[in-house]
Amino acid sequence: MPVKLSLEELVTTVASDLMGVTSLTLQHASERLLEQLVDYFDVDLAFLRRNDHELGATVLVAEWPPRLNVPDPDPVGIVYFAGADPTFAATEHLSAVMLSRPDRSDEQYQDRVAQASGVQGVSTATVPLLTTDGTSGVLGFIKYGDREWLDPEVNSLRALAALLAQLRSRVGAEEKLRFLAYHDELTGLSNRRALVDYLNLRLAPGADGPVAAIFMDLDRLKAMNSFLGHAAGDLYLQTLATRLASGKGDAEFLARLGGDEFVLVLPGRATIEHARAAAEQIRRIANEPVQLGGEEVSRGVSLGVALGIPGTTTVSELLGQADQAMLQAKSGGGNEISFFTEEMREQNEIRTDIELHLGSASRNGALVLHYQL
């Protein structure tokens, strides 16, 4: 039979186990830790909750052992601080370990626990997860019947809660960095990096296709910025992004490349007819007026559509083709939809060939300039 760890050894072991935890393994690691603590402290249930201060509630994150028959709605799943029993309400800004026993505890809390677990009369230990911003959540333990928590145990619970608070702060920072790496700061939409990663999967050999990309560029946004200011322009882009995200219809992926350029990708096997209908819907959404400082403003959009073949078309080729089709739509006066064609491809190849050879021809003397007065 293995020798039971001392309280100091327990805290050290937990600290070592939590070092490698990431956002992807956080849930599993939390449940594994709770299982370990239930066994160590000889309690019936352990739980981890987070405080959602925007929601004004405490939210159940993990529990051990998992309940087999969870009531619907779960009385302990989300508990709003306003109107909650004194025990749950206290967890909003809890700063010290809170202990309760069946004969001297909050009756409303005991009733809520009974509703969730079916057990009457429990002893609890609730430990705050403290950060520089306040109480981020609680680590809790429940023993059916009576249990006394000794001072050394309470001190170890504080240390364990501090480790969990540090872990969640670190994971939260990592998630924020990951979000910023793949999302546009102004609109919150996916950015170019996320779009390229997504299209690499969609255009991989054997993937479902053709893949339709719609390149959208606002018409005369610069003129609006000059008239109303860049702050108004940013608000316009944010409003447009929200509308596109909520009403993008058949589009599966939406990204902002920067400035006034957006790309939408359709799911599955796209056809010309499907892409045209999606582009028309996008144009209707984008043409809706936006209220900016008492002014009702609307902009046209130029949309370029290109279809790529998985295993054949590269990401840069598909985006370049959609971009070229968009420029074709813009050249016709804007607020139009244009599809990439073989004629555009030929024109692009000729233009690229001229650009590539013009410089070398000039340097090698193959190009001679004659001036006529």
PDB file of all heavy atoms in Angstrom, residues 3 81 102 139 230 298 350:
ATOM      1  N   VAL A   3       2.493   4.880   0.538  1.00  0.00           N
ATOM      2  CA  VAL A   3       2.482   5.790   1.672  1.00  0.00           C
ATOM      3  C   VAL A   3       1.799   7.095   1.260  1.00  0.00           C
ATOM      4  O   VAL A   3       2.080   7.643   0.190  1.00  0.00           O
ATOM      5  CB  VAL A   3       3.914   6.064   2.152  1.00  0.00           C
ATOM      6  CG1 VAL A   3       3.901   7.057   3.311  1.00  0.00           C
ATOM      7  CG2 VAL A   3       4.595   4.772   2.561  1.00  0.00           C
ATOM      8  N   PHE A  81     -25.164  35.650  -8.778  1.00  0.00           N
ATOM      9  CA  PHE A  81     -24.897  36.208  -7.456  1.00  0.00           C
ATOM     10  C   PHE A  81     -26.114  36.953  -6.905  1.00  0.00           C
ATOM     11  O   PHE A  81     -26.440  36.835  -5.726  1.00  0.00           O
ATOM     12  CB  PHE A  81     -23.682  37.146  -7.510  1.00  0.00           C
ATOM     13  CG  PHE A  81     -22.412  36.450  -7.897  1.00  0.00           C
ATOM     14  CD1 PHE A  81     -21.651  36.900  -8.973  1.00  0.00           C
ATOM     15  CD2 PHE A  81     -21.960  35.356  -7.183  1.00  0.00           C
ATOM     16  CE1 PHE A  81     -20.474  36.266  -9.326  1.00  0.00           C
ATOM     17  CE2 PHE A  81     -20.787  34.709  -7.522  1.00  0.00           C
ATOM     18  CZ  PHE A  81     -20.038  35.160  -8.601  1.00  0.00           C
ATOM     19  N   PRO A 102     -23.113  20.742   8.717  1.00  0.00           N
ATOM     20  CA  PRO A 102     -24.574  20.601   8.627  1.00  0.00           C
ATOM     21  C   PRO A 102     -25.354  21.339   9.698  1.00  0.00           C
ATOM     22  O   PRO A 102     -26.432  21.871   9.431  1.00  0.00           O
ATOM     23  CB  PRO A 102     -24.780  19.079   8.753  1.00  0.00           C
ATOM     24  CG  PRO A 102     -23.499  18.483   8.321  1.00  0.00           C
ATOM     25  CD  PRO A 102     -22.432  19.444   8.753  1.00  0.00           C
ATOM     26  N   LEU A 139     -12.384  26.862  -5.378  1.00  0.00           N
ATOM     27  CA  LEU A 139     -12.154  25.424  -5.306  1.00  0.00           C
ATOM     28  C   LEU A 139     -12.934  24.929  -4.107  1.00  0.00           C
ATOM     29  O   LEU A 139     -12.801  25.482  -3.009  1.00  0.00           O
ATOM     30  CB  LEU A 139     -10.664  25.139  -5.139  1.00  0.00           C
ATOM     31  CG  LEU A 139     -10.245  23.703  -4.814  1.00  0.00           C
ATOM     32  CD1 LEU A 139     -10.582  22.771  -5.973  1.00  0.00           C
ATOM     33  CD2 LEU A 139      -8.763  23.638  -4.485  1.00  0.00           C
ATOM     34  N   HIS A 230     -11.533  58.942 -39.185  1.00  0.00           N
ATOM     35  CA  HIS A 230     -11.177  57.523 -39.138  1.00  0.00           C
ATOM     36  C   HIS A 230     -11.914  56.773 -38.039  1.00  0.00           C
ATOM     37  O   HIS A 230     -12.145  55.562 -38.155  1.00  0.00           O
ATOM     38  CB  HIS A 230      -9.662  57.372 -38.960  1.00  0.00           C
ATOM     39  CG  HIS A 230      -8.893  57.703 -40.210  1.00  0.00           C
ATOM     40  ND1 HIS A 230      -8.740  56.796 -41.225  1.00  0.00           N
ATOM     41  CD2 HIS A 230      -8.259  58.833 -40.605  1.00  0.00           C
ATOM     42  CE1 HIS A 230      -8.026  57.344 -42.199  1.00  0.00           C
ATOM     43  NE2 HIS A 230      -7.727  58.590 -41.846  1.00  0.00           N
ATOM     44  N   SER A 298     -23.963  54.687 -46.336  1.00  0.00           N
ATOM     45  CA  SER A 298     -23.912  53.381 -46.998  1.00  0.00           C
ATOM     46  C   SER A 298     -22.801  53.409 -48.032  1.00  0.00           C
ATOM     47  O   SER A 298     -22.473  54.451 -48.589  1.00  0.00           O
ATOM     48  CB  SER A 298     -25.251  53.038 -47.657  1.00  0.00           C
ATOM     49  OG  SER A 298     -25.551  53.978 -48.682  1.00  0.00           O
ATOM     50  N   ILE A 350       0.037  37.512 -69.007  1.00  0.00           N
ATOM     51  CA  ILE A 350       0.734  38.436 -69.905  1.00  0.00           C
ATOM     52  C   ILE A 350       1.306  39.614 -69.121  1.00  0.00           C
ATOM     53  O   ILE A 350       2.463  40.003 -69.307  1.00  0.00           O
ATOM     54  CB  ILE A 350      -0.234  38.933 -71.005  1.00  0.00           C
ATOM     55  CG1 ILE A 350      -0.629  37.780 -71.931  1.00  0.00           C
ATOM     56  CG2 ILE A 350       0.400  40.078 -71.791  1.00  0.00           C
ATOM     57  CD1 ILE A 350      -1.708  38.145 -72.926  1.00  0.00           C
TER      58      ILE A 350
END
